[in-house]
Amino acid sequence: MVELDQVVRARRSIRLFHPDKSVPRSHVIEALELARRAPSHSNTQPWHLVLASGAARERLVTALLSESRIREPAIPRLPAEFESLKYELGAQLYESLGIARDDVEGRRKAVRLNWRFYNAPLAGIVCMPRNLHHVDSLGVGMFLQTLVLGLTARGLGTCVQLLIAGFPEIVHETLHISHRYEILCGLAIGYPVEDFPANNLDVPRKPIEHTVVFLDR
């Protein structure tokens, strides 16, 4: 196994996968065995993950694409103080793809790829019981991060996708997910297209001193 530091630094949000390279179930199970050890409030283990491949995945992709042509996804708007970070990431992403700011069709194609889980052959839906609270979502997040790192260590790429949760009723209906679960996000899993520019972005992070306070007295 690769050292943890190397795995964390190697992880990227992958935005194009090889659709014809199937994901070994054994790799996924191994990563899930690690992820289920994630901490959670009162050991509630609040995560619920649905993994769709083959016909189930295609059914979901078709439904999402169809709905996206009718209306916009219901995604919470970021507060003004965080919007600049979203725009900076978008500019970096589109520039890597050679899509100009005024290229409406180019941007539309990029978004459609999102609904296809970036061609990943394995599509994940991350859920949490509705009767739990925001504190329990921390446990889901730690499960998801551990899973993503476990998959990275096994040579697989991932992308956590908030946009997929924008049509929760479509996801519930298409994959027969009980409404007792809230849809939190999607997770694309597969083998990255190595030379795709957007797969090799070095996305900046805030300096530690901007986000952490040490108190000694």
Side-chain angles (χ1 to χ4, degrees):
M1 297 299 293
V2 186
E3 291 291 334
L4 176 61
D5 286 15
Q6 293 176 272
V7 174
V8 172
R9 290 188 171 90
R11 187 211 63 80
R12 294 285 188 277
S13 291
I14 301 302
R15 291 182 171 88
L16 191 66
F17 297 83
H18 289 286
D20 54 348
K21 293 184 69 173
S22 60
V23 176
R25 180 68 59 89
S26 60
H27 286 9
V28 177
I29 295 297
E30 289 169 3
L32 286 168
E33 287 289 352
L34 289 175
R36 73 189 185 98
R37 303 185 66 84
S40 60
H41 168 229
S42 298
N43 197 33
T44 50
Q45 303 167 70
W47 45 82
H48 181 74
L49 178 64
V50 177
L51 294 169
S53 59
R57 177 201 171 279
E58 286 306 309
R59 190 167 63 246
L60 176 60
V61 166
T62 299
L64 290 172
L65 282 169
S66 177
E67 193 68 16
S68 71
R69 296 186 185 100
I70 300 171
R71 62 187 175 97
E72 293 295 316
I75 299 297
R77 186 180 179 86
L78 284 173
E81 62 182 298
F82 295 102
E83 279 194 330
S84 63
L85 295 172
K86 175 183 177 180
Y87 294 139
E88 287 169 12
L89 175 60
Q92 187 179 8
L93 174 60
Y94 288 127
E95 183 180 358
S96 74
L97 298 175
I99 300 174
R101 186 183 183 89
D102 59 352
D103 184 355
V104 177
E105 183 56 29
R107 290 174 177 247
R108 187 176 291 119
K109 286 181 179 179
V111 173
R112 282 202 295 267
L113 197 57
N114 199 316
W115 294 121
R116 293 196 59 81
F117 292 85
Y118 300 110
N119 289 343
L122 187 58
I125 303 296
V126 181
C127 314
M128 183 180 82
R130 290 185 187 277
N131 58 351
L132 292 178
H133 304 285
H134 72 277
V135 67
D136 300 292
S137 66
L138 297 175
V140 180
M142 288 185 278
F143 164 83
L144 181 56
Q145 173 75 347
T146 306
L147 174 62
V148 163
L149 293 179
L151 292 169
T152 302
R154 287 160 177 79
L156 288 159
T158 59
C159 188
V160 177
Q161 300 175 266
L162 176 62
L163 194 66
I164 300 300
F167 295 136
E169 66 283 4
I170 299 298
V171 178
H172 278 292
E173 180 182 346
T174 307
L175 297 185
H176 309 294
I177 298 174
S178 169
H179 282 273
R180 69 180 290 260
Y181 293 112
E182 180 180 0
I183 308 299
L184 297 183
C185 65
L187 178 65
I189 304 172
Y191 288 99
V193 176
E194 297 290 351
D195 59 355
F196 186 63
N199 287 350
N200 299 291
L201 293 179
D202 186 13
V203 179
R205 295 293 194 269
K206 295 178 182 179
I208 291 174
E209 59 268 23
H210 287 197
T211 58
V212 179
V213 175
F214 289 96
L215 298 176
D216 298 318
R217 62 177 67 184

